[in-house]
Amino acid sequence: MSRPICPKCHYPLKACLCESIEAMQVSTELIVLQDPSEVGHAKNSVRLLELVIEDTQVYVGEIPDDFMQLRQRLEQSVKPVYLVYPSEQSQDVESVSFDEDVILLFLDGTWRKAYKLLQLNPWLQDLPALHLDIESASNYKIRKASRADSLSTLEAVAMMLKAIEAHQEVAPLTNALNAMVNQRIRSMPASVRKRYE
């Protein structure tokens, strides 16, 4: 028998996060390319991102055909488009000046899956890329990461918005993530919970 789900946040009722969700508006257009394996993942931060910033656009897929509609729309856009992905060619977002509203593309998945998305979609590699100068560890401690500079997609969005829109308050994003992390830790058996506290 399936667990009852909250109709608003779509998390199980006993893990409902509605009280921790504060909607916010941003000027930057946010687009997430999501690996299919992330869609049903209980710890997926993109679901939270969509609750806080309703205008977030999520495209699920792996190969260029999956993103054909998105590619056509981006080609017609007058806004500058950036891929958020660290590479030898990417620029530190702090070193770029943004004189107009932009579109940011994020790859949602593990490092391995995000890299696979990038390799399967050469059109992404044609976009100018941005990266963050990570100073503090991720607070997304309920998921394992293979790299010390790993961030959840929601954290990456929050940090990018803060860098691009200097006066943008990103607390609604970080508060929602903290609420989910704390809720997950509280639901763990005591012996497991000690590893995270």
Coordinates of all heavy atoms in Angstrom, one line a residue, residues 91-128:
Q91 N 34.0 30.1 -16.5 CA 34.4 31.3 -15.7 C 33.8 31.3 -14.4 O 32.6 30.9 -14.2 CB 33.9 32.5 -16.5 CG 34.6 32.8 -17.8 CD 34.0 34.1 -18.4 OE1 33.0 34.1 -19.1 NE2 34.7 35.2 -18.2
D92 N 34.5 31.8 -13.4 CA 34.0 32.0 -12.1 C 32.9 33.1 -12.2 O 33.1 34.2 -12.7 CB 35.1 32.6 -11.1 CG 34.6 32.7 -9.7 OD1 33.4 32.8 -9.4 OD2 35.5 32.7 -8.8
V93 N 31.7 32.8 -11.7 CA 30.5 33.7 -11.8 C 30.8 35.1 -11.2 O 30.3 36.1 -11.7 CB 29.3 33.1 -11.2 CG1 29.4 32.9 -9.7 CG2 28.0 33.9 -11.5
E94 N 31.7 35.1 -10.2 CA 32.1 36.4 -9.6 C 32.9 37.3 -10.5 O 32.9 38.5 -10.3 CB 32.8 36.1 -8.3 CG 32.1 35.4 -7.2 CD 31.0 36.1 -6.6 OE1 30.9 37.3 -6.8 OE2 30.3 35.5 -5.7
S95 N 33.5 36.7 -11.5 CA 34.3 37.5 -12.5 C 33.5 38.0 -13.7 O 34.1 38.7 -14.5 CB 35.5 36.7 -12.9 OG 35.1 35.6 -13.8
V96 N 32.2 37.7 -13.8 CA 31.4 38.0 -14.9 C 30.4 39.1 -14.5 O 29.8 39.1 -13.4 CB 30.6 36.8 -15.4 CG1 29.8 37.2 -16.6 CG2 31.6 35.7 -15.8
S97 N 30.3 40.2 -15.3 CA 29.3 41.2 -15.0 C 28.0 40.9 -15.8 O 28.1 40.7 -17.0 CB 29.8 42.6 -15.3 OG 30.2 42.7 -16.7
F98 N 26.9 41.0 -15.2 CA 25.6 40.7 -15.8 C 24.8 42.0 -15.9 O 24.3 42.5 -14.9 CB 24.8 39.7 -15.0 CG 25.6 38.4 -14.9 CD1 26.4 38.1 -13.8 CD2 25.4 37.4 -15.9 CE1 27.1 36.9 -13.7 CE2 26.1 36.2 -15.8 CZ 27.0 35.9 -14.7
D99 N 24.7 42.5 -17.2 CA 24.0 43.8 -17.4 C 22.5 43.6 -17.7 O 21.8 44.5 -17.9 CB 24.7 44.6 -18.5 CG 26.1 44.9 -18.2 OD1 26.4 45.2 -17.0 OD2 27.0 44.7 -19.1
E100 N 22.1 42.3 -17.9 CA 20.8 42.0 -18.3 C 20.4 40.7 -17.7 O 21.2 39.9 -17.2 CB 20.6 42.0 -19.8 CG 21.6 41.0 -20.5 CD 21.6 41.2 -22.0 OE1 20.5 41.4 -22.6 OE2 22.7 41.0 -22.6
D101 N 19.1 40.4 -17.7 CA 18.6 39.1 -17.2 C 19.2 38.0 -18.1 O 19.3 38.1 -19.3 CB 17.1 39.1 -17.3 CG 16.4 40.0 -16.2 OD1 17.2 40.4 -15.3 OD2 15.2 40.3 -16.4
V102 N 19.5 36.9 -17.4 CA 20.1 35.7 -18.1 C 19.3 34.5 -17.9 O 18.4 34.4 -17.0 CB 21.5 35.5 -17.7 CG1 22.4 36.8 -18.0 CG2 21.6 35.2 -16.2
I103 N 19.6 33.4 -18.6 CA 19.1 32.1 -18.5 C 20.2 31.2 -18.0 O 21.3 31.2 -18.6 CB 18.5 31.5 -19.8 CG1 17.4 32.4 -20.3 CG2 18.1 30.1 -19.6 CD1 16.9 32.0 -21.7
L104 N 20.0 30.5 -16.9 CA 21.0 29.5 -16.3 C 20.5 28.1 -16.5 O 19.4 27.8 -16.2 CB 21.2 29.8 -14.9 CG 21.9 31.1 -14.4 CD1 22.1 31.2 -12.9 CD2 23.2 31.4 -15.2
L105 N 21.4 27.3 -17.0 CA 21.1 25.8 -17.2 C 21.8 25.1 -16.1 O 23.1 25.3 -16.0 CB 21.4 25.3 -18.6 CG 20.4 25.4 -19.7 CD1 19.9 26.8 -19.9 CD2 20.9 24.8 -21.0
F106 N 21.2 24.2 -15.4 CA 21.8 23.3 -14.4 C 21.6 21.9 -14.8 O 20.5 21.5 -15.3 CB 21.2 23.5 -13.0 CG 21.3 24.9 -12.5 CD1 20.5 26.0 -12.9 CD2 22.4 25.2 -11.6 CE1 20.7 27.3 -12.4 CE2 22.5 26.5 -11.1 CZ 21.7 27.5 -11.5
L107 N 22.6 21.0 -14.6 CA 22.5 19.6 -14.8 C 22.2 18.9 -13.5 O 23.0 19.0 -12.5 CB 23.8 19.1 -15.4 CG 24.3 19.8 -16.7 CD1 25.5 19.1 -17.3 CD2 23.1 19.8 -17.8
D108 N 21.1 18.2 -13.4 CA 20.8 17.6 -12.1 C 21.0 16.1 -12.1 O 20.3 15.4 -12.9 CB 19.3 17.9 -11.8 CG 18.9 17.3 -10.4 OD1 19.5 17.7 -9.4 OD2 17.9 16.5 -10.4
G109 N 21.9 15.6 -11.3 CA 22.2 14.2 -11.2 C 23.5 14.1 -10.4 O 24.1 15.1 -10.0
T110 N 24.0 12.9 -10.2 CA 25.3 12.7 -9.6 C 26.3 13.3 -10.5 O 26.1 13.6 -11.7 CB 25.6 11.2 -9.4 OG1 25.6 10.6 -10.7 CG2 24.5 10.5 -8.5
W111 N 27.6 13.5 -10.0 CA 28.6 14.0 -10.9 C 28.8 13.1 -12.1 O 28.9 13.7 -13.3 CB 30.0 14.0 -10.1 CG 30.2 15.3 -9.4 CD1 30.3 15.4 -8.0 CD2 30.4 16.6 -9.9 NE1 30.5 16.7 -7.7 CE2 30.6 17.5 -8.8 CE3 30.5 17.1 -11.2 CZ2 30.8 18.8 -9.0 CZ3 30.7 18.5 -11.4 CH2 30.9 19.3 -10.3
R112 N 28.7 11.8 -12.0 CA 28.9 10.9 -13.1 C 27.7 11.1 -14.1 O 28.0 11.2 -15.3 CB 28.9 9.5 -12.6 CG 29.2 8.4 -13.7 CD 29.3 7.0 -13.1 NE 28.1 6.6 -12.4 CZ 27.0 6.2 -12.9 NH1 26.9 6.0 -14.2 NH2 26.0 5.8 -12.2
K113 N 26.5 11.2 -13.6 CA 25.4 11.4 -14.5 C 25.3 12.8 -15.2 O 24.9 12.9 -16.3 CB 24.1 11.1 -13.7 CG 23.9 9.7 -13.4 CD 22.7 9.4 -12.5 CE 22.6 7.9 -12.1 NZ 21.6 7.7 -11.1
A114 N 25.8 13.8 -14.4 CA 25.8 15.1 -15.0 C 26.9 15.2 -16.1 O 26.6 15.8 -17.2 CB 26.2 16.2 -13.9
Y115 N 28.0 14.5 -15.9 CA 29.0 14.5 -16.9 C 28.5 13.7 -18.1 O 28.8 14.1 -19.3 CB 30.3 13.8 -16.4 CG 31.4 13.7 -17.3 CD1 32.2 14.8 -17.7 CD2 31.7 12.5 -17.9 CE1 33.2 14.7 -18.6 CE2 32.8 12.4 -18.9 CZ 33.5 13.5 -19.2 OH 34.5 13.4 -20.1
K116 N 27.8 12.7 -17.9 CA 27.2 11.9 -19.0 C 26.2 12.7 -19.8 O 26.3 12.7 -21.1 CB 26.5 10.6 -18.5 CG 25.9 9.7 -19.6 CD 25.2 8.5 -18.9 CE 24.6 7.7 -20.0 NZ 23.8 6.5 -19.4
L117 N 25.4 13.5 -19.1 CA 24.5 14.4 -19.8 C 25.2 15.4 -20.7 O 24.8 15.7 -21.8 CB 23.7 15.2 -18.8 CG 22.3 14.7 -18.3 CD1 21.7 15.6 -17.3 CD2 21.3 14.6 -19.5
L118 N 26.3 15.9 -20.2 CA 27.1 16.8 -20.9 C 27.8 16.2 -22.2 O 27.8 16.8 -23.3 CB 28.2 17.4 -20.0 CG 29.1 18.6 -20.5 CD1 28.2 19.8 -20.8 CD2 30.2 18.9 -19.6
Q119 N 28.3 15.0 -22.0 CA 28.9 14.3 -23.1 C 27.9 13.9 -24.2 O 28.2 13.9 -25.4 CB 29.7 13.1 -22.6 CG 30.8 13.4 -21.7 CD 31.8 14.4 -22.3 OE1 32.3 14.2 -23.4 NE2 32.0 15.5 -21.6
L120 N 26.7 13.5 -23.8 CA 25.6 13.1 -24.7 C 25.0 14.3 -25.4 O 24.3 14.1 -26.4 CB 24.5 12.3 -24.0 CG 24.9 10.9 -23.5 CD1 23.8 10.3 -22.7 CD2 25.3 10.0 -24.7
N121 N 25.2 15.5 -25.0 CA 24.6 16.7 -25.5 C 25.7 17.7 -25.9 O 25.9 18.7 -25.1 CB 23.6 17.2 -24.5 CG 22.4 16.3 -24.3 OD1 21.5 16.4 -25.1 ND2 22.5 15.5 -23.3
P122 N 26.4 17.5 -27.0 CA 27.4 18.5 -27.4 C 26.9 19.9 -27.5 O 27.7 20.8 -27.3 CB 27.8 17.9 -28.8 CG 27.4 16.5 -28.8 CD 26.2 16.4 -28.0
W123 N 25.7 20.1 -27.7 CA 25.1 21.5 -27.8 C 25.3 22.3 -26.5 O 25.5 23.5 -26.5 CB 23.7 21.5 -28.2 CG 22.7 20.8 -27.3 CD1 22.5 19.5 -27.2 CD2 22.0 21.5 -26.2 NE1 21.6 19.2 -26.2 CE2 21.2 20.4 -25.6 CE3 21.8 22.8 -25.8 CZ2 20.4 20.7 -24.5 CZ3 20.9 23.0 -24.8 CH2 20.2 22.0 -24.1
L124 N 25.4 21.5 -25.4 CA 25.6 22.2 -24.1 C 27.0 22.7 -24.0 O 27.3 23.7 -23.4 CB 25.4 21.2 -23.0 CG 23.9 20.8 -22.7 CD1 23.9 19.6 -21.6 CD2 23.1 22.0 -22.2
Q125 N 27.9 22.0 -24.6 CA 29.3 22.4 -24.6 C 29.6 23.6 -25.4 O 30.7 24.3 -25.3 CB 30.2 21.2 -25.0 CG 30.1 20.0 -24.1 CD 30.8 18.8 -24.7 OE1 31.9 18.9 -25.2 NE2 30.1 17.6 -24.6
D126 N 28.7 24.0 -26.3 CA 28.8 25.3 -27.0 C 28.4 26.5 -26.3 O 28.7 27.6 -26.7 CB 28.0 25.2 -28.3 CG 28.5 24.1 -29.3 OD1 29.7 23.8 -29.2 OD2 27.7 23.5 -30.0
L127 N 27.8 26.3 -25.1 CA 27.3 27.4 -24.3 C 28.5 27.9 -23.4 O 29.3 27.1 -22.9 CB 26.1 27.0 -23.4 CG 24.9 26.5 -24.1 CD1 23.9 26.0 -23.1 CD2 24.2 27.7 -24.9
P128 N 28.5 29.2 -23.1 CA 29.5 29.7 -22.1 C 29.1 29.1 -20.8 O 28.0 29.0 -20.4 CB 29.3 31.2 -22.1 CG 27.9 31.5 -22.7 CD 27.7 30.3 -23.7

